[in-house]
Amino acid sequence: MKYVNKPVRKKDAMQLVTGKPVYMDDIAPKDCLIVKLLRSPHANAIVTSINKIAAMKVDGIEAIYTWEDIPQDGRRYTQAGQTYPEMSPYDRLIMDRHVRYVGDVVAIVAGRDGKCVDKALKLIKVQYEVLEPILDFHKAKDNKILVHPEDNWESLVPVGADNKRNLCAHDETGSGDIEEVLKNSDVIIDHVYHTKACQQTMMETFRTFCTIDTYGRLNVVSSTQIVFHCRRILANALHIPKSMIRVSKPRIGGGFGAKQTSISEVYPAYVTWMTKKPSKIIFTREESMTASTPRHEMEVHVRLGASKDGIVNGIDMYTLSNTGAYGEHGPTTVGLSGHKSIPLYGKAKAFRFVSDVVYTNVMSAGAYRGYGATQGLFAVESAVNELAAKLHMDPFELRMKNIVKEGDVMPAYYGQVNTSCALDRCLERVKKMIDWDNKYPVRDMGNGKVRAVGMGMAMQGSGITSVDVGSATIKVNDDGFYTLAIGAADMGTGCDTILAQIAAEVLDCSIDEITVFGADTDTSPYDSGSYASSTTYVTGKAVEQCALKVREQICKLGAELLKCPESEVVFDGKFVKHENSKEIQVSLTDIATASQCGNNIALEATVTNSSPLSPPPFMVGAAEVEVDLETGEAKVIDYAAAVDCGTPVNPNLARVQAEGGILQGIGMTLTENITYNKKGKLAENSLMQYKIPTRIDIGHICVEFESSYEDAGPFGAKSIGEVVINTPLPAVSDAIFNATGTRFYELPITPEKIAMAVAEREKEQA
């Protein structure tokens, strides 16, 4: 292949590295009203009165809106970017008299500049009836305190939700007699694993600007992954027709799932719709940390039964998920905790997976890379590592005995067949990469330091089965170059480049001859958006099929110009030729020119694709961790990973995706912590308190590929975006166990926890 599976440079690389104005705030009109939000200081309260008289007198203030401007009995909406009907409940108003977490919106203030708006915010006087909050998600279900007592709360899809029980979702599924299987197992691993609500911490915070166009329509430019879903969300929130809204995106400075939820768009949209003036909002880092949608906090109870020779016979899992004050992505993330962890173990005779998602009075959760699988894989893979230790068996050897293989039916993965899989080769590769046999389990380095290794494996999906839609439009322009229009959002992943590579491969042209445009609800073909690891697999297949159709159209017009049957011509990317004579040919440039005069053959095509399969990518990772037994400091010295993402369309971009995901997973395991006080206020409100790992905190990361071939994907490709975050949690955790002799069932594993555990162990041994 000329372009697929080649390390092509990103199409926008030079614009980005030279600092060209490509992001939202670079291109926003200079006369935008500045929009900021007054937020609740209480976790659960009713606004009894708002006095904005003094604030409105501030010079430069255009408007101040409160709950009194929003019909409280109007239909609610969800900010989750999901296909309609959304699984997430309709539980929001633009502003609600009932505020449900510290940071909930009380007032929207718009003014000439930030200075006057800040002054006005301080002058708004709010009186609250403070209510008792629910902060402990263990106590939320069926509590007398209701987070959403309102009668206009809606659940559009039967997901087991009941707002009068603080229940956002409930589900039960299984196969086989799990109790009988566990009863007959030689070894039972039974533990509860706890992961907290980690932040995506993308470089670019949430931001949006809005204008009114020539036709009186609301134009929204936002750093979003979901332009089409965003249009629907805004229409639902503002109660205006979707036809009156256009949403487009510029370059995005990172998303990681955070921008699959419409966090910022509704507020400037409301201001512009009401005032007919341009407006913009830019979240501060503090707002992004305290009033966004981080990963769902989950507690996962795993009972795993195995035979004495290491065969996993059954897995019983119960996941309790904390959706916080609102239900964005609550019913959907929880499913992945079981459905994308249990299926890794192909010899299991039975499984049961039960889940509850509950409302509480803390910041609402949402989508984050891994989307629930991350939490579930930490639990299941940690249980398997503990099983290996109990059986005195190498964790790699144990997994080789159990893994799902190509052709296997996966009952816990919605009954799908594993159509492509190189998981066995990933295991073998990583074991060699990390030099496992010489490092496992632990080595004494002297000076109170030890180095230990641990491992884990993971799977994800490639789009949402029979739901996600990807589309592409390709047209031939003057001189024979192409425009590829997409609705998928490049958020730094390089999808513009990857999709151009697929098109160039089919059309036999250079990458430079493919210009990429997207995403814009007015001009792009419909696409669900960039999430659920769907872009390369779902939209990429649409691009491949679309390019094939354009080839056909080129050949059709070329044959007409050559005055011969279409069946007798071939296209080599530059010329349409008669198959029996090289002299009888017409150039693509001449064909493009001919299409513009007296022509009835359209040199363009649009293709839409949705897949009945979601073939899992697989990954194996191993960590070497150095632990200072005196201070408790743990540092990842080496991380080795092998990924099966089918055919990597662009190995360089795939490797960068994997390295970034690994770093995020390490941060979730070791440093990223959140703590609420008894009033529901979050302590970690900046990057001074919320500690994401930097490059200097991590040693060597090495990523390799073990490619299977997925027939349903473009040129054999599967996804890679999400699976890469999932192995560090169990791998680093098990390395710390091997170093200290203590297992940790809650993340993050901080130096304080390690030092205290080592001291306690030494005390017991004394």
Side-chain angles (χ1 to χ4, degrees):
M1 292 184 284
K2 291 182 180 178
Y3 302 107
V4 169
N5 199 218
K6 297 294 187 292
V8 174
R9 189 173 73 182
K10 282 178 92 256
K11 289 185 76 67
D12 58 356
M14 295 311 297
Q15 291 291 101
L16 298 179
V17 301
T18 56
K20 300 302 183 194
V22 295
Y23 295 102
M24 189 231 75
D25 200 31
D26 298 326
I27 62 176
K30 301 306 178 187
D31 61 343
C32 278
L33 294 171
I34 302 302
V35 177
K36 295 191 179 185
L37 307 173
L38 181 67
R39 298 183 178 277
S40 169
H42 305 294
N44 192 17
I46 303 295
V47 178
T48 56
S49 68
I50 298 180
N51 187 330
K52 58 185 182 180
I53 295 173
M56 280 299 300
K57 292 179 180 178
V58 174
D59 182 43
I61 291 300
E62 176 74 24
I64 299 175
Y65 302 105
T66 70
W67 70 269
E68 295 171 320
D69 300 295
I70 306 298
Q72 298 295 288
D73 58 353
R75 192 181 189 194
R76 293 177 177 262
Y77 72 100
T78 178
Q79 291 182 349
Q82 299 176 316
T83 298
Y84 180 85
E86 301 95 333
M87 302 276 277
S88 299
Y90 280 25
D91 55 10
R92 281 187 183 265
L93 296 173
I94 296 175
M95 282 174 292
D96 200 320
R97 188 176 188 182
H98 185 173
V99 289
R100 294 172 170 83
Y101 73 98
V102 176
D104 214 348
V105 178
V106 175
I108 305 170
V109 182
R112 181 181 57 224
D113 53 42
K115 186 177 180 180
C116 73
V117 172
D118 288 339
K119 184 176 180 180
L121 284 168
K122 295 175 183 177
L123 294 174
I124 299 172
K125 303 301 180 184
V126 187
Q127 297 293 322
Y128 299 92
E129 178 191 348
V130 179
L131 308 174
E132 183 183 351
I134 300 172
L135 302 177
D136 184 347
F137 74 132
H138 302 95
K139 299 176 181 178
K141 185 178 174 181
D142 294 322
N143 197 298
K144 65 180 180 179
I145 301 169
L146 295 179
V147 178
H148 283 278
E150 64 273 8
D151 291 330
N152 59 345
W153 176 97
E154 270 186 272
S155 180
L156 277 64
V157 179
V159 293
D162 186 345
N163 63 314
K164 300 303 172 68
R165 299 180 62 199
N166 287 328
L167 197 58
C168 182
H170 170 81
D171 191 37
E172 299 182 19
T173 185
S175 176
D177 190 336
I178 186 64
E179 293 296 344
E180 184 68 19
V181 166
L182 292 175
K183 186 174 76 172
N184 293 324
S185 294
D186 299 318
V187 183
I188 301 287
I189 304 297
D190 186 341
H191 288 294
V192 175
Y193 303 83
H194 182 210
T195 59
K196 297 188 179 181
C198 302
Q199 286 284 353
Q200 297 91 345
T201 52
M202 59 283 169
M203 290 178 67
E204 182 194 38
T205 61
F206 303 97
R207 53 195 59 197
T208 304
F209 79 79
C210 301
T211 59
I212 298 293
D213 70 13
T214 307
Y215 304 100
R217 299 169 73 224
L218 178 65
N219 276 11
V220 180
V221 179
S222 187
S223 184
T224 178
Q225 301 170 217
I226 47 158
V227 292
F228 286 98
H229 293 332
C230 184
R231 179 176 64 183
R232 181 178 67 252
I233 291 165
L234 291 174
N236 289 344
L238 274 61
H239 302 293
I240 62 176
K242 298 179 184 68
S243 62
M244 294 302 293
I245 302 172
R246 174 188 181 185
V247 180
S248 60
K249 67 136 198 100
R251 293 289 94 183
I252 301 176
F256 309 118
K259 295 170 183 175
Q260 192 194 336
T261 305
S262 289
I263 304 293
S264 62
E265 289 86 352
V266 67
Y267 306 109
Y270 185 76
V271 168
T272 294
W273 188 249
M274 297 300 290
T275 67
K276 308 306 177 188
K277 295 182 179 181
S279 70
K280 74 174 178 180
I281 191 169
I282 296 178
F283 273 39
T284 63
R285 179 59 62 182
E286 181 178 351
E287 285 181 297
S288 288
M289 301 297 290
T290 61
S292 58
T293 51
R295 189 185 296 283
H296 286 76
E297 177 186 21
M298 289 189 190
E299 196 173 80
V300 184
H301 184 186
V302 174
R303 292 194 300 159
L304 184 148
S307 63
K308 59 187 176 182
D309 58 352
I311 301 299
V312 176
N313 294 323
I315 300 175
D316 185 21
M317 178 186 288
Y318 170 69
T319 300
L320 177 64
S321 177
N322 183 2
T323 196
Y326 299 97
E328 279 89 11
H329 302 278
T332 42
T333 51
V334 72
L336 274 65
S337 68
H339 293 304
K340 295 188 179 176
S341 58
I342 298 170
L344 284 167
Y345 294 90
K347 294 190 177 180
K349 300 171 186 174
F351 83 92
R352 178 168 58 199
F353 174 40
V354 180
S355 60
D356 283 318
V357 183
V358 293
Y359 284 113
T360 60
N361 291 116
V362 299
M363 171 175 44
S364 58
Y368 182 6
R369 189 182 209 166
Y371 203 78
T374 312
Q375 298 95 308
L377 283 159
F378 166 60
V380 170
E381 287 298 281
S382 293
V384 173
N385 281 331
E386 185 167 349
L387 173 66
K390 279 197 172 187
L391 295 175
H392 305 289
M393 187 178 292
D394 185 296
F396 278 93
E397 179 187 339
L398 188 146
R399 283 173 173 81
M400 285 295 281
K401 285 185 171 188
N402 285 283
I403 55 172
V404 66
K405 296 184 177 178
E406 193 167 304
D408 288 353
V409 175
M410 300 175 286
Y413 190 59
Y414 320 106
Q416 287 194 25
V417 176
N418 188 10
T419 50
S420 56
C421 182
L423 185 53
D424 53 347
R425 286 187 276 128
C426 289
L427 284 163
E428 292 168 356
R429 184 79 167 268
V430 169
K431 191 173 184 181
K432 291 178 182 176
M433 289 167 67
I434 202 75
D435 194 18
W436 181 269
D437 290 336
N438 292 317
K439 294 178 179 178
Y440 177 74
V442 63
R443 295 172 295 151
D444 192 335
M445 308 305 293
N447 298 320
K449 295 182 178 180
V450 296
R451 288 188 181 182
V453 289
M455 62 84 62
M457 61 185 190
M459 61 177 281
Q460 198 77 34
S462 298
I464 304 172
T465 306
S466 299
V467 172
D468 283 345
V469 170
S471 301
T473 296
I474 300 176
K475 66 175 182 177
V476 183
N477 301 296
D478 302 34
D479 294 332
F481 74 96
Y482 303 92
T483 297
L484 168 62
I486 57 172
D490 192 331
M491 51 182 163
T493 53
C495 80
D496 285 1
T497 305
I498 289 166
L499 298 176
Q501 286 179 254
I502 293 169
E505 189 69 46
V506 175
L507 293 167
D508 271 326
C509 66
S510 72
I511 296 294
D512 292 337
E513 291 174 284
I514 308 281
T515 62
V516 184
F517 177 83
D520 185 322
T521 54
D522 271 11
T523 56
S524 298
Y526 178 79
D527 194 292
S528 303
S530 294
Y531 61 87
S533 301
S534 63
T535 303
T536 298
Y537 175 72
V538 179
T539 306
K541 195 66 177 179
V543 171
E544 180 187 15
Q545 294 169 344
C546 186
L548 287 169
K549 281 196 170 186
V550 170
R551 281 189 70 104
E552 291 176 5
Q553 294 299 91
I554 291 169
C555 287
K556 187 174 183 179
L557 183 51
E560 187 175 283
L561 294 173
L562 293 174
K563 297 181 171 33
C564 66
E566 184 183 345
S567 60
E568 295 180 6
V569 301
V570 293
F571 178 52
D572 66 3
K574 296 295 182 185
F575 295 90
V576 170
K577 304 176 181 179
H578 194 282
E579 60 183 354
N580 297 324
S581 174
K582 292 182 180 180
E583 284 72 34
I584 304 176
Q585 63 181 26
V586 59
S587 71
L588 179 58
T589 300
D590 289 340
I591 293 171
T593 302
S595 72
Q596 298 173 354
C597 182
N599 172 52
N600 294 309
I601 299 172
L603 291 190
E604 67 175 80
T606 298
V607 169
T608 294
N609 176 56
S610 186
S611 177
L613 297 173
S614 179
F618 297 95
M619 180 175 178
V620 175
E624 181 179 6
V625 180
E626 182 174 274
V627 178
D628 187 320
L629 298 177
E630 184 174 351
T631 66
E633 181 184 11
K635 184 172 182 178
V636 177
I637 301 300
D638 192 13
Y639 200 94
V643 185
D644 166 23
C645 58
T647 302
V649 177
N650 189 316
N652 279 6
L653 294 179
R655 184 169 285 105
V656 169
Q657 283 278 296
E659 291 171 352
I662 289 166
L663 194 64
Q664 287 177 311
I666 291 170
M668 186 174 175
T669 309
L670 294 178
T671 63
E672 297 181 35
N673 197 18
I674 67 158
T675 51
Y676 284 95
N677 68 16
K678 62 182 181 180
K679 293 186 177 180
K681 185 175 181 181
L682 181 63
E684 291 76 18
N685 62 4
S686 78
L687 295 179
M688 292 295 289
Q689 291 84 25
Y690 188 81
K691 299 175 183 177
I692 61 173
T694 65
R695 187 62 189 88
I696 61 174
D697 296 321
I698 305 299
H700 185 243
I701 296 176
C702 183
V703 177
E704 300 295 342
F705 299 99
E706 284 291 342
S707 298
S708 61
Y709 189 90
E710 176 51 54
D711 285 333
F715 297 99
K718 297 187 286 189
S719 76
I720 192 170
E722 292 183 280
V723 71
V724 291
I725 198 173
N726 295 330
T727 60
L729 286 71
V732 174
S733 300
D734 201 48
I736 292 173
F737 163 73
N738 289 329
T740 65
T742 300
R743 286 201 182 275
F744 295 90
Y745 301 100
E746 180 183 73
L747 300 181
I749 308 171
T750 61
E752 294 85 354
K753 290 180 182 178
I754 295 172
M756 290 172 66
V758 170
E760 184 66 26
R761 190 171 179 83
E762 289 175 348
K763 183 179 177 181
E764 291 173 355
Q765 293 173 345

